[in-house]
Amino acid sequence: MSSSERFGRAVKLGAVSALSLVALVVPAAGAGGAVAAPGGDCFTPAHAADRSKDGHADSVSPAEAARIEADMQSKLAGKRTARVAQAAAVSIPVYFHVITSGSAGNLPATAISKQISVLNSAYAPSGFSFSLVSTDYTNNSTWYNGITDGTSAERNMKNALRKGGANALNIYTAKLGDDLLGWATFPSNYKSQPKLDGVVLLDESLPGRSATNYNEGDTATHEVGHWMGLYHTFQGGCSGSGDYVSDTPAEATATSGCPASKDTCSSTGVDPVHNFMDYSYDSCMYEFTAGQNTRMQNAWSAYRA
Ligand SMILES: [Ca+2]
Ligand SMILES: [Ca+2]
Ligand SMILES: [Ca+2]
Ligand SMILES: [Zn+2]
């Protein structure tokens, strides 16, 4: 299993590497310059991405997703013999790591508490809640300025700062490189790379900050979704198992902005443009499905419980 899958809301065309990185990217300066691509999507010329800020590669390959699925199901089968019903509620300890460069990146505590609230609202139906344990500030210009996934800067930062076990959510904020909004690791990566486990966010994506259209805190919602085992709603396109969630209609392409309607696969259902695991604006994404909630509970049981 790949040790460094990542996710994010940024997609770079053709960037699906052997490592299956996934991340979100921020729309290039002047997101208004996004152009309609065939299929109804908007892509910024520079990033070919929606949420252009969510990372590098955009999603795992169908083959890798199938491998992860088989692994998760086998782990679940073993656990279900011991524990028939999933515990009703899980409180996730959150360790917040604010990276700064002098005064740059120095997020106020209110932005962090608002971010935790956004997470708690989004995940309430899933039975998961988030509780801030600690916030630390690290002045390191190398880690702050332009950090990207898969780099020595990321490794060094996480090795120095990560806290807690498999159930601990570690969130790092910085001025990310490559116009990324954020990236995350999958639960299936924890065992082989525990120190890399976590979510990295653009500091200005937190609620009330400056990333236009992406400053309501849903980059965190989206990245934590990956950290909980969810794929993009457009994972795998129109064919195959897609995102391994039956009640999210298949979607051929990531969504940009907030289209009134979009239907890119002939299979039943319109594109889930309001789903947290698409690439829409923060104001446009506001839901997880029941199937996604179940998938998160299963992934938790398999890898983080
Ligand atoms: Ca689906
Ligand atoms: Ca459809
Ligand atoms: Ca929202
Ligand atoms: Zn993503």
Side-chain angles (χ1 to χ4, degrees), residues 251-300:
E251 184 176 40
T253 53
T255 303
S256 289
C258 193
S261 81
K262 178 167 167 275
D263 190 0
T264 55
C265 293
S266 59
S267 49
T268 303
V270 296
D271 292 7
V273 300
H274 300 301
N275 195 279
F276 287 124
M277 299 315 291
D278 202 341
Y279 270 8
S280 315
Y281 288 159
D282 277 13
S283 58
C284 191
M285 53 166 61
Y286 48 72
E287 63 192 5
F288 287 122
T289 65
Q292 286 175 315
N293 290 337
T294 297
R295 180 174 179 80
M296 289 192 272
Q297 290 159 5
N298 285 339
W300 188 271

Side-chain angles (χ1 to χ4, degrees), residues 9 24 51 96 115-116 118-119 122-123 130 169 171 181-182 184 199-202 205-207 214 216-227 276-277 282 285 288:
R9 277 196 290 194
L24 283 196
R51 215 103 168 131
F96 225 101
Q115 182 64 77
I116 299 293
V118 167
L119 290 174
Y123 285 86
F130 300 86
L169 173 60
I171 298 178
L181 280 167
V199 165
V200 182
L201 301 175
L202 178 72
S205 75
L206 267 63
Y214 304 99
E216 296 178 17
D218 283 332
T219 291
T221 308
H222 175 108
E223 298 303 338
V224 171
H226 289 312
W227 184 81
F276 287 124
M277 299 315 291
D282 277 13
M285 53 166 61
F288 287 122

Side-chain angles (χ1 to χ4, degrees), residues 225-236:
H226 289 312
W227 184 81
M228 300 286 274
L230 298 182
Y231 298 119
H232 294 136
T233 46
F234 47 90
Q235 163 75 27

Side-chain angles (χ1 to χ4, degrees), residues 140-158:
N140 186 314
S141 60
T142 300
W143 297 350
Y144 180 75
N145 286 300
I147 192 168
T148 56
D149 53 320
T151 58
S152 59
E154 182 204 21
R155 248 185 341 271
N156 294 340
M157 174 183 77
K158 289 180 169 180

Side-chain angles (χ1 to χ4, degrees), residues 22-42:
V22 188
L24 283 196
V25 184
V26 182
V35 297
D41 256 334
C42 288

